[in-house]
Amino acid sequence: MAFRSLLFVPGNRPERFEKALGAGADAVCIDLEDAVAPEAKDAARSAVIDFLTRGARPGLGVRINGPASEHVDADCRALSGLPVAFVMIPKVEAPGQVASLRLRLGDSRPLWPIIESPEGLRQAWDIASAVGVGGILFGAADYSAEVGCTLEWDALLYARGALAAAAARAGAELLDVPYLDIADEVGLTSSTGRAKALGFTGRACIHPGQVEIVNTAYSPSMAEVDRARRVVEAFDAANGGAALLDGKLIELPVVRAARRTLERTGV
């Protein structure tokens, strides 16, 4: 499943669940981990169960607690049989953790590991390729804390590039970390464009006001769609021979990129 935008909503704020679903994001993820204090975990989990039992919602997922957390077993039991589109797993550092949680969840819903440590980054190629993985989220805040670097773009360029390669190899989606300065629309737009250029397929959001900017950044323009259509038509018309468009040779990487553009727009 391809998400341009994913909006997080705290699991202990059930009054926000419906509002989040109406914010225009491609996916909404109810958070039982970072957004919920330890003493509020049980109440948040109950609120999520109550909401999910009312019926399935397209693109609605849940972030459970990490593999080493004392709360993860209760999270997995709670989600059993409930209509959840995907499950996000924080603090993943090995593909075996993905396999273990897939068994504990007991179904084939897509899993979204979060890479947020140097060890997770080291094993990102195998994590992204693990059975059941639909996508990866870059947890830059925790990663930068462990490395001791800042959240500035240059400081995290290596990590983002490595994750882009790992996700592309596995055929998995890749979401960037939420932009933490809610009021800085210029910074959100700029950094989202940079991540897209690296190969990220979407971005997580922490406020409804960020969704439209992210969706716009990851939506091909009409000119890009028209160009992609012309590239594919010229390539197909060549029947395996040399394809030309506007006097330029069309090579296979260009065709692959054009097809991805059309797939994302449903053309």
Side-chain angles (χ1 to χ4, degrees), residues 64 72-73 75-82 84 87 89 97-111:
I64 62 176
V72 67
D73 287 335
D75 291 345
C76 291
R77 289 194 300 269
L79 295 182
S80 177
L82 292 177
V84 179
V87 177
I89 309 169
Q97 293 174 324
V98 176
S100 174
L101 283 170
R102 188 165 183 262
L103 288 174
R104 288 151 81 178
L105 287 162
D107 53 44
S108 58
R109 287 172 289 195
L111 303 179

Side-chain angles (χ1 to χ4, degrees), residues 31-206:
D31 186 12
L32 292 175
E33 194 221 8
D34 278 351
V36 181
E39 64 272 15
K41 298 283 188 185
D42 292 342
R45 191 182 302 111
S46 295
V48 170
I49 293 172
D50 179 66
F51 186 74
L52 292 173
T53 53
R54 301 177 197 172
R57 304 297 184 90
L60 178 61
V62 175
R63 173 160 72 172
I64 62 176
N65 288 277
S69 168
E70 63 182 285
H71 303 285
V72 67
D73 287 335
D75 291 345
C76 291
R77 289 194 300 269
L79 295 182
S80 177
L82 292 177
V84 179
F86 62 93
V87 177
M88 191 164 282
I89 309 169
K91 297 176 173 59
V92 174
E93 295 189 326
Q97 293 174 324
V98 176
S100 174
L101 283 170
R102 188 165 183 262
L103 288 174
R104 288 151 81 178
L105 287 162
D107 53 44
S108 58
R109 287 172 289 195
L111 303 179
W112 280 71
I114 306 177
I115 304 298
E116 44 193 332
S117 70
E119 180 60 22
L121 185 65
R122 188 179 75 87
Q123 299 213 46
W125 293 78
D126 293 329
I127 292 171
S129 300
V131 175
V133 170
I136 297 287
L137 173 67
F138 178 34
D142 284 76
Y143 176 86
S144 64
E146 285 212 24
V147 172
C149 68
T150 69
L151 282 169
E152 300 302 317
W153 179 264
D154 289 348
L156 296 173
L157 179 57
Y158 169 75
R160 281 191 171 97
L163 288 177
R169 173 179 174 268
E173 300 296 313
L174 178 61
L175 299 183
D176 200 12
V177 63
Y179 194 74
L180 300 181
D181 188 346
I182 296 172
D184 183 11
E185 295 185 355
V186 174
L188 172 62
T189 301
S190 175
S191 62
T192 301
R194 285 182 166 190
K196 180 184 178 182
L198 275 179
F200 279 70
T201 58
R203 182 162 207 167
C205 304
I206 54 173

Side-chain angles (χ1 to χ4, degrees), residues 230-232 234-235 243-245 248-252 254-255:
R230 293 175 62 220
V231 165
V232 171
F235 180 79
L244 294 174
L245 180 64
K248 297 180 181 179
L249 182 66
I250 303 173
E251 299 181 331
L252 282 176
V254 176
V255 178

